[in-house]
Amino acid sequence: MGLDRLAWRTLAARPVRSLLTIAGIALGVAVLCASLTLGVALDAAVQRTVNDMVGRADLRVSGLLEGGLSDAAVAALMDTGNVLDAAPVIEHRTFPRGGRVGPSAAITVLGVDPASYLRLHDLRLVAGTMLDRSDEPVALVSQELADEDGYVLGGRISILGSGGETQLRIVGILPGFGPVAGTGRSAIIPIDVARAAFAIAGASHVDLQLAPGSVDAVMRHLAERMTEPYVLASPADIAASLRASSASFQGTAALVAAIVLFVGAFLIVNTLSMTVGERAREVGLLRAAGATRTQLSRFVFSGALALGVIGAGLGVLAGWLMAMLMAGAVSDATGLSAAVAAVDPAGAVTAALVGIGITILAAIEPALAAAHISPVEALRARLDLPQVRRGRLAWIAGIFVVVAVLSMLVWPPVAAASSTGRALAVYGVLLGATLLSPFVVRPLALLLGYPVSLILRLEASLARGSLARDRSRTTLTLGSLVIGLAMIVALGWSAQAARSAAFDWL
């Protein structure tokens, strides 16, 4: 316990360095925790959206052409064998009259037959009543649309159609974004009203409820009977498409977490290595006083564990807040209502264990260095041997590999196919920059110091000499700067890619 308290006092003696190291660990744990929590929230949002979109339907048949499915095609679908129920739906994009201006003002209107649609879909209302007749000029609007444009229960909404405006009375408010994926601005109206307003016959798609085990038979039957081009989608297909829309966000978050965890590990190696170097004389005296190598290793591990536990605890708390902010951004970009009320317990534990584990792993090399300090060596000079520097760089490379493996294990499956290659490329750049740092210190010092030497010759000479003489500390400092700048560039590139993917999907 005496060595543990000494280790903690040693960290407290350098508060700024220790706080920066804790911040690095906390940031990595926070991003990883937020990424895992957001993944769980997105999965739940996808499931809710699929349930809202297809309800109890087993297949969705959509028209491939812009005009959708004709009346004859809809009738053929309803008469197909093994079809227990069918709900035709018209989906049309239009603009409300007197609302917002611009492309973002568009709304998605669903024209449904109240009887068949409600048999297959469980519509929930925040307020008001459900649709009753297929020809009554009324509407249900989403909470998002009502809040943005100021619609209220009992008020009116005017939508633009092929023949002008259609006035509709608002009889109900749907929760959240409504049953349309990709936008929160949606409304549901009776199907006959939609056909008259938009001059559309038939349906955009038809949701089919089938007899158990008859999906393949119905698909073969449709292939034989349908003469119009169509597209089939099951609830699983729709869920996969929705998950793909959020893959870039999850991949970016996971990439950020992996990079920040590597930076945190680098900071831990830096902090503990400097501590061992600065305390080499004291460590040698402890050895002379009878301390074993195991006890000296424990001295380093105790400090690392304190840093890791504090950083992990702060990281989980920050991860919860970060997940709520990220969920709002993803919801706005994709239309998926990914609400985060609390941190995911499994994600929090996983992120904390990964952060503490990487902290302990990063402490192994400084702990071994402390254990091998001899009393005579420590009293003669501060420990800064070339073999220790080479071992330190090798250990940093090993930590890089471990963090990469851990990242692949917790990487979101939905983002693995599209983001793994880019993540490994970024990692390769970071590893190369780290390993090349000690070899470019002296050339860079000579090159960059030359203009300064023209004005301040003595100062420039002293600075170059100090950089070359203390290459271990210079390498760690330079490596931290290189990794930090590379991380900023990588984050900007990844964020731009995520925004482009979201706009392409929308």
Side-chain angles (χ1 to χ4, degrees), residues 67-395:
L69 299 168
S70 66
D71 283 329
V74 173
L77 288 172
M78 293 181 174
D79 292 337
T80 301
N82 292 317
V83 173
L84 302 181
D85 205 348
V89 178
I90 289 178
E91 184 171 339
H92 192 79
R93 192 90 164 150
T94 187
F95 290 88
R97 184 74 172 179
R100 296 166 52 185
V101 179
S104 62
I107 65 173
T108 300
V109 177
L110 294 184
V112 304
D113 174 54
S116 61
Y117 191 83
L118 292 177
R119 287 197 300 266
L120 296 184
H121 301 80
D122 295 322
L123 279 182
R124 294 173 290 114
L125 293 178
V126 174
T129 60
M130 199 62 67
L131 301 180
D132 187 25
R133 293 166 25 209
S134 63
D135 59 351
E136 186 179 7
V138 295
L140 308 175
V141 299
S142 67
Q143 184 74 59
E144 186 81 4
L145 175 59
D147 291 342
E148 290 182 355
D149 289 10
Y151 295 117
V152 296
L153 192 65
R156 291 191 172 274
I157 179 173
S158 178
I159 60 175
L160 300 178
S162 59
E165 298 180 20
T166 299
Q167 292 283 339
L168 303 168
R169 182 168 54 91
I170 299 174
V171 297
I173 306 294
L174 299 165
F177 289 173
V180 182
T183 176
R185 298 174 59 81
S186 59
I188 299 179
I189 66 176
I191 192 168
D192 290 343
V193 177
R195 285 170 175 163
F198 305 127
I200 296 176
S204 302
H205 61 260
V206 180
D207 292 334
L208 302 177
Q209 186 180 37
L210 310 179
S214 63
V215 174
D216 293 338
V218 170
M219 292 174 63
R220 289 193 301 268
H221 191 63
L222 292 178
E224 296 171 358
R225 293 188 57 188
M226 292 287 289
T227 59
E228 299 179 13
Y230 65 94
V231 177
L232 288 177
S234 65
D237 297 331
I238 297 174
S241 176
L242 292 175
R243 288 190 177 95
S245 70
S246 62
S248 295
F249 293 95
Q250 295 189 64
T252 300
L255 175 60
V256 172
I259 294 174
V260 175
L261 282 172
F262 176 61
V263 173
F266 195 92
L267 289 173
I268 294 165
V269 174
N270 191 347
T271 298
L272 297 180
S273 296
M274 288 185 177
T275 299
V276 171
E278 293 170 351
R279 301 281 178 168
R281 191 180 304 275
E282 297 176 14
V283 172
L285 292 175
L286 288 174
R287 285 281 288 136
T292 65
R293 291 182 175 181
T294 301
Q295 290 174 323
L296 294 180
S297 298
R298 177 180 171 179
F299 166 76
V300 178
F301 281 127
S302 295
L305 185 60
L307 294 174
V309 171
I310 296 173
L314 294 176
V316 169
L317 179 60
W320 171 47
L321 301 176
M322 192 179 296
M324 291 192 292
L325 297 176
M326 292 170 63
V330 173
S331 297
D332 292 340
T334 64
L336 294 174
S337 182
V340 175
V343 68
D344 176 57
V349 172
T350 299
L353 290 178
V354 169
I356 294 174
I358 292 176
T359 303
I360 297 300
L361 180 67
I364 293 179
E365 188 275 335
L368 293 177
H372 287 82
I373 296 177
S374 68
V376 175
E377 194 174 74
L379 294 175
R380 184 170 53 242
R382 187 176 64 86
L383 182 66
D384 192 21
L385 302 177
Q387 62 268 25
V388 173
R389 291 198 298 268
R390 289 195 296 268
R392 184 176 302 162
L393 288 175
W395 193 253

